[in-house]
Amino acid sequence: AQSVAQPEDQVNVAEGNPLTVKCTYSVSGNPYLFWYVQYPNRGLQFLLKYITGDNLVKGSYGFEAEFNKSQTSFHLKKPSALVSDSALYFCAVRDIWGYNQGGKLIFGQGTELSVKP
Amino acid sequence: DGGITQSPKYLFRKEGQNVTLSCEQNLNHDAMYWYRQDPGQGLRLIYYSQIVNDFQKGDIAEGYSVSREKKESFPLTVTSAQKNPTAFYLCASSIDMRDRGEKLFFGSGTQLSVL
């Protein structure tokens, strides 16, 4: 079965410093990977996805993610963190059911990012 | 202004009571989903619907029921059989479920608490 893991419950970063939120995955076949962000008492917002192609994927709000097949990782990064980036971040992988079936999204447990001034 | 609307924002359930959470979308999406979010556990899929008049159980369907009579609407009923219903419930939609690269659009959620 497909799965994702976010090894850190919380990441603390100073404003202006680079940030990394980690995600590792386990899939059979080609992975379809996603990052979402959730602000307090809100729904999730899509940030970026990896389907195929370049290992560095660029997304919304200056975020990017690096796909590493050998390490089965899909870490979320940003060169310079903002206080407004503080939120809950979810990594997700598409669970493939079968031919012509998109499958459901399986989410990691989430990582709380805190950016301090 | 397109999107997904969930109501109410906060809901309280008395013991033995069924409650219904509303989810409406005007994105013309075929697929709709209900997720449950508990602190530290991420999101877990309750039910999903690929098309009108069809829906399937997700990973934690026990104690929940849904209907999909209209493309725009996918209400979730939390029945009295759900013994631990306190959670944040998220509705989502996507254009369809066949495209593996398709992203989900989420509503703002409903916080359900037990009195």
Side-chain angles (χ1 to χ4, degrees):
Chain A
Q2 328 285 45
S3 66
V4 289
Q6 295 179 243
E8 301 157 318
D9 291 334
Q10 181 150 10
V11 170
N12 297 309
V13 177
E15 188 174 32
N17 282 1
L19 69 86
T20 298
V21 183
K22 296 180 180 178
C23 173
T24 59
Y25 65 89
S26 174
V27 302
S28 53
N30 295 323
Y32 292 76
L33 297 159
F34 302 76
W35 275 103
Y36 285 83
V37 60
Q38 184 181 33
Y39 298 99
N41 298 315
R42 303 292 295 176
L44 277 66
Q45 297 177 32
F46 171 78
L47 280 178
L48 49 81
K49 65 181 178 182
Y50 173 83
I51 306 301
T52 187
D54 290 340
N55 290 341
L56 187 64
V57 179
K58 294 191 182 296
S60 307
Y61 313 122
F63 283 93
E64 56 190 27
E66 186 172 9
F67 172 70
N68 188 317
K69 188 173 184 177
S70 62
Q71 297 186 6
T72 63
S73 66
F74 189 55
H75 300 332
L76 182 69
K77 301 183 179 186
K78 188 173 183 181
S80 179
L82 299 172
V83 173
S84 57
D85 292 330
S86 298
L88 187 58
Y89 290 81
F90 289 97
C91 183
V93 67
R94 182 76 75 182
D95 190 12
I96 308 300
W97 286 326
Y99 179 73
N100 206 33
Q101 288 284 336
K104 61 186 178 184
L105 274 184
I106 297 173
F107 288 85
Q109 55 271 56
T111 298
E112 187 79 44
L113 173 66
S114 178
V115 182
K116 300 294 186 186
Chain B
D1 190 19
I4 300 179
T5 302
Q6 288 188 242
S7 62
K9 192 169 179 63
Y10 300 96
L11 187 58
F12 297 91
R13 192 191 90 166
K14 296 178 182 178
E15 193 152 345
Q17 184 182 41
N18 293 352
V19 292
T20 297
L21 284 61
S22 172
C23 177
E24 303 278 332
Q25 55 101 355
N26 60 5
L27 299 168
N28 200 33
H29 287 174
D30 281 329
M32 297 187 75
Y33 316 77
W34 274 105
Y35 284 89
R36 170 177 170 144
Q37 183 177 13
D38 296 278
Q41 292 194 43
L43 278 69
R44 292 181 291 170
L45 184 64
I46 305 173
Y47 268 97
Y48 64 95
S49 169
Q50 297 189 68
I51 200 165
V52 175
N53 293 322
D54 178 73
F55 52 83
Q56 305 293 331
K57 293 182 179 179
D59 300 315
I60 55 165
E62 186 175 350
Y64 300 97
S65 66
V66 294
S67 63
R68 186 85 188 275
E69 297 176 0
K70 298 187 299 182
K71 187 174 185 177
E72 305 78 24
S73 180
F74 192 42
L76 173 74
T77 297
V78 183
T79 74
S80 57
Q82 173 50 245
K83 297 306 180 188
N84 184 24
T86 296
F88 191 56
Y89 290 85
L90 287 162
C91 179
S93 71
S94 64
I95 294 175
D96 66 45
M97 291 188 74
R98 293 168 297 173
D99 184 349
R100 297 173 182 180
E102 195 56 49
K103 65 184 181 186
L104 267 59
F105 293 78
F106 284 84
S108 295
T110 293
Q111 176 64 51
L112 175 62
S113 302
V114 177
L115 289 175

